[in-house]
Amino acid sequence: MKAVTILGATGSIGQSTLNVLAAHPEQFEVFALTAATNVDAMGKLCEQFRPRYAVMADPTAAQALTAQLTGRTTKVLAGSEGLCEVASAGDVDIVMAAIVGAAGLLPTLAAVEAGKKVLLANKEALVMSGQLFMDAVTRHQAQLLPVDSEHNAIFQCLPESAQQLGLVDLAAAGVHKILLTGSGGPFRELPVAALAEQTPAAACAHPNWDMGRKISVDSATMLNKGLEYIEARWLFNCQPQQLEVLLHPQSVIHSMVSYADGSVIAQMGQADMRTPIAHCLSYPQRLESGVAALDFSQVAQLTFAQAEPARYPCLFLAQQACWEGQWATTSLNAANEVAVAAFLAGKIKFTQISQICERVLEQSSAAHVTALEDVLAIDQQARRYAQEVMEQRANV
């Protein structure tokens, strides 16, 4: 019986993880669940799964949950300290790191430093801390497995000898290139001139995947694919010529690995996150996920295309930042979080997301990153720059 902590239990990844765990009660028990502010959803999950701990990132929400769970055995904790505590607890075997955004960095690192089996769905942890994060995985002998469908697909397409995240020599393993696929989001066929008028509701209406609002907007800008590009660089120890992004609207092929002999191996499946979650939970074995196998007679076509810079400027900003240094990817992630929040609140236009990100990168200075404190300082500075850029535009 493996004890599991889910960081971000009320989100889409958390819900899918609980669905898989519920199907295998003989193999897994829920040790802790965490959320930000959604007390009602967390209360229902605690009633159903009866974890030993529940953590609310917001202290006021923690007080409300405590009142709601009066008489229950679940202990409620609060804030970043509570998140780190349940991520690193001695009784925990597996940590699902599914908190969206920079907020997931510290608890995910706490799990790594405790030597846990970490299922990484929080791509921002690597985007923000890159080499520092991978060095911590090696130093603390944690087991890191990628949950994002694209990175999980790449992992499955690599030979077993190359499934050493952060350390693999792709060329020595015969790998020519990693092909990272992306659907292109809901605006893939929209005239570029119409992008500025798109609403948050339209941006969140992803054609293939059921995701949270922030990730859905990132998919519409393809900044999400840019973050995955950065994450892939660190997970698979890529060089620029070994990593490429392709549009694949059907989301059937989740990513591919091209080999030196001309072979291309692809991982295919339904657009359902339970598949990569089940793979990571049971690796190196296989576990029933509840997802049906593909019916190839119903797959009408598989198409591919290059992304257009005019349609997806955020993707190209991310690819550029990836090779400029840790300061650039940390700054980009922070600026994007501020800009997407403003867009979802109706304060800026869709096309201003990329403009704000570009301006923040221009204002940010190259900085040498040697410790987590450096990362957090760069993150905060970029958020200030993003706010200033938005205020300047509002006053024009």
Side-chain angles (χ1 to χ4, degrees):
M1 184 74 74
K2 299 294 185 182
V4 183
T5 285
I6 302 178
L7 302 173
T10 58
S12 61
I13 296 294
Q15 293 290 292
S16 294
T17 303
L18 287 167
N19 184 282
V20 176
L21 296 182
H24 300 278
E26 76 288 351
Q27 294 190 46
F28 304 102
E29 64 173 331
V30 178
F31 176 84
L33 301 175
T34 85
T37 59
N38 196 335
V39 175
D40 289 341
M42 180 61 95
K44 292 175 183 176
L45 292 180
C46 289
E47 291 286 341
Q48 181 179 356
F49 292 96
R50 301 189 182 279
R52 283 190 247 176
Y53 293 91
V55 185
M56 303 302 294
D58 178 69
T60 301
Q63 291 177 355
L65 183 64
T66 300
Q68 191 175 119
L69 297 180
T70 299
R72 303 295 183 185
T73 57
T74 298
K75 182 178 180 181
V76 179
L77 303 176
S80 181
E81 289 185 4
L83 294 172
C84 292
E85 181 177 337
V86 299
S88 60
D91 291 340
V92 173
D93 300 294
I94 301 170
V95 176
M96 169 58 78
I99 295 175
V100 176
L105 174 59
L106 292 180
T108 303
L109 265 178
V112 166
E113 291 170 353
K116 303 300 182 185
K117 180 178 180 178
V118 179
L119 314 188
L120 187 66
N122 170 266
K123 59 182 62 65
E124 289 84 359
L126 272 176
V127 169
M128 290 178 67
S129 62
Q131 192 65 59
L132 293 174
F133 188 93
M134 297 308 298
D135 287 347
V137 170
T138 301
R139 186 166 61 252
H140 297 283
Q141 298 182 319
Q143 183 182 20
L144 186 67
L145 293 168
V147 172
D148 271 349
S149 61
E150 296 82 1
H151 303 101
N152 184 264
I154 295 162
F155 184 82
Q156 292 193 52
C157 292
L158 290 171
E160 185 178 351
S161 62
Q163 291 179 335
Q164 303 297 316
L165 295 183
L167 302 173
V168 61
D169 184 335
L170 291 177
V175 174
H176 166 242
K177 184 177 290 187
I178 285 171
L179 300 167
L180 196 65
T181 60
S183 71
F187 304 147
R188 185 182 65 252
E189 297 179 357
L190 197 72
V192 172
L195 290 175
E197 304 310 317
Q198 298 309 302
T199 65
C204 291
H206 196 283
N208 301 340
W209 296 92
D210 179 18
M211 304 182 293
R213 282 164 60 79
K214 193 268 182 185
I215 295 177
S216 294
V217 175
D218 284 349
S219 179
T221 65
M222 279 198 78
L223 191 280
N224 195 48
K225 198 58 51 182
L227 298 182
E228 289 172 5
Y229 179 96
I230 297 164
E231 187 180 6
R233 178 257 175 106
W234 293 112
L235 288 174
F236 305 112
N237 197 28
C238 299
Q239 298 301 312
Q241 70 275 11
Q242 294 173 317
L243 191 53
E244 182 180 342
V245 173
L246 276 177
L247 293 187
H248 171 50
Q250 296 81 20
S251 295
V252 171
I253 293 177
H254 299 304
S255 276
M256 300 174 277
V257 175
S258 172
Y259 285 87
D261 61 4
S263 301
V264 178
I265 298 178
Q267 190 272 340
M268 308 170 75
Q270 304 280 5
D272 193 316
M273 286 305 298
R274 289 178 296 172
T275 297
I277 289 167
H279 175 261
C280 290
L281 282 169
S282 60
Y283 178 83
Q285 281 76 44
R286 295 280 177 170
L287 186 72
E288 187 73 34
S289 68
V291 181
L294 276 176
D295 180 353
F296 284 93
S297 68
Q298 300 301 310
V299 178
Q301 60 180 346
L302 301 176
T303 60
F304 305 91
Q306 296 290 334
E308 308 166 59
R311 186 180 302 277
Y312 303 114
C314 282
L315 169 63
F316 291 88
L317 284 174
Q319 290 177 307
Q320 180 181 348
C322 180
W323 308 108
E324 287 190 2
Q326 191 63 67
W327 66 271
T329 58
T330 301
S331 297
L332 174 61
N333 179 71
N336 180 67
E337 287 192 15
V338 172
V340 169
F343 170 68
L344 288 171
K347 297 178 180 178
I348 64 171
K349 293 180 178 293
F350 178 76
T351 48
Q352 289 181 299
I353 296 172
S354 62
Q355 295 168 8
I356 291 165
C357 289
E358 183 175 19
R359 185 72 185 112
V360 169
L361 284 174
E362 290 172 351
Q363 288 184 225
S364 300
S365 302
H368 191 50
V369 177
T370 59
L372 182 60
E373 291 75 17
D374 299 330
V375 171
L376 298 178
I378 292 168
D379 174 84
Q380 291 303 309
Q381 182 184 60
R383 290 173 192 276
R384 288 193 298 271
Y385 285 162
Q387 291 290 352
E388 290 170 5
V389 169
M390 287 194 296
E391 290 170 6
Q392 290 167 2
R393 290 178 182 273
N395 293 329
V396 172

